[in-house]
Amino acid sequence: MGITERLHEIGRPLVAEQLAHPTVAGISRGDLDDRAFRYWLEQDHLYLLDYARAFSRLAWQAPDGHLADLVGIAHSTLNEELELHRSLSGEFGADLTTKGKGPACAAYTSWLLDAAADYRDGLAAVYPCMWGYNQLGLALAGSRPEEPRYRRWVDTYADPDFTLLTERYGRMLEEADPDPERAERFFLEGMRHEVAFWDTPFTS
């Protein structure tokens, strides 16, 4: 069993936990309280800025063959994924200039940037966000919400190009040949941060 296959196996229960979370369930139904999604948008905007920094830190350590891949992911995060947030911010009244990280965002980004100081550990630490959101998008795409704003969110992470990017990153992780136990530890901690990130003051 390859390392990514093993990570997927241990990560699926935490994907299921996210799908059952009230915030994700509300997106799926299309009836999530606007205040909850506004909070998530503002926090995820702050998260993605540091997510791009983590990829940039990994790129600095990368073998020549993957330098362009990692710089490309950082660029895509800042110019494509964040475009979704910018396009939705006005519809939800989100303030993307806020600097105020909530507890979940602060804990996740601090841990992620520390993990990225080591190439192999960092590759495993950032994988939960990309793989997890792709899994959520694909799962929710089977019954897309009628609400167009939430439908757009689902479509972004179910997009075939995002799936291909996730698969390409998984191959990069395989090629790095991380220590399996360390990779599992960093991956699982990242997945737990992903679950906690869905908590907002407006969902219970």
Side-chain angles (χ1 to χ4, degrees):
M1 181 184 292
I3 186 63
T4 54
E5 186 178 356
R6 172 59 182 157
L7 297 182
H8 296 168
E9 181 179 72
I10 63 177
R12 286 189 185 98
L14 289 154
V15 172
E17 191 172 338
Q18 291 180 70
L19 287 168
H21 191 284
T23 301
V24 180
I27 291 172
S28 177
R29 294 189 305 268
D31 62 2
L32 179 66
D33 188 321
D34 279 13
R35 295 173 301 168
F37 198 75
R38 180 187 309 126
Y39 180 87
W40 178 87
L41 272 175
E42 293 170 351
Q43 292 298 299
D44 202 52
H45 178 262
L46 294 171
Y47 168 82
L48 288 174
L49 294 175
D50 282 341
Y51 184 62
R53 290 185 177 98
F55 279 116
S56 299
R57 194 170 196 183
L58 292 174
W60 184 80
Q61 305 169 71
D64 291 349
H66 288 311
L67 175 58
D69 290 317
L70 290 163
V71 171
I73 294 172
H75 183 272
S76 175
T77 299
L78 293 171
N79 293 280
E80 295 174 21
E81 190 168 0
L82 278 176
E83 179 55 34
L84 171 70
H85 294 61
R86 288 187 285 267
S87 70
L88 289 172
S89 63
E91 299 179 44
F92 284 93
D95 177 12
L96 298 189
T97 67
T98 181
K99 304 296 183 185
K101 292 180 180 178
C105 183
Y108 195 176
T109 55
S110 174
W111 171 82
L112 190 68
L113 290 168
D114 284 347
D118 179 274
Y119 183 65
R120 291 178 176 85
D121 291 347
L123 287 175
V126 301
Y127 191 45
C129 182
M130 185 182 298
W131 178 76
Y133 271 55
N134 186 226
Q135 292 298 299
L136 293 177
L138 293 172
L140 298 180
S143 180
R144 286 175 169 83
E146 294 289 334
E147 218 286 353
R149 298 172 300 174
Y150 294 133
R151 187 183 185 97
R152 200 184 323 161
W153 186 93
V154 171
D155 288 345
T156 295
Y157 295 107
D159 188 280
D161 286 342
F162 189 70
T163 299
L164 289 173
L165 179 65
T166 302
E167 292 171 350
R168 190 163 77 244
Y169 183 86
R171 291 192 294 272
M172 194 187 318
L173 178 57
E174 292 274 0
E175 289 175 24
D177 194 27
D179 175 78
E181 289 187 6
R182 288 185 67 85
E184 288 181 20
R185 178 161 60 85
F186 278 91
F187 177 80
L188 279 175
E189 187 162 354
M191 289 297 293
R192 293 187 187 103
H193 279 295
E194 286 290 320
V195 174
F197 202 89
W198 290 112
D199 293 341
T200 85
F202 309 102
T203 52
S204 57

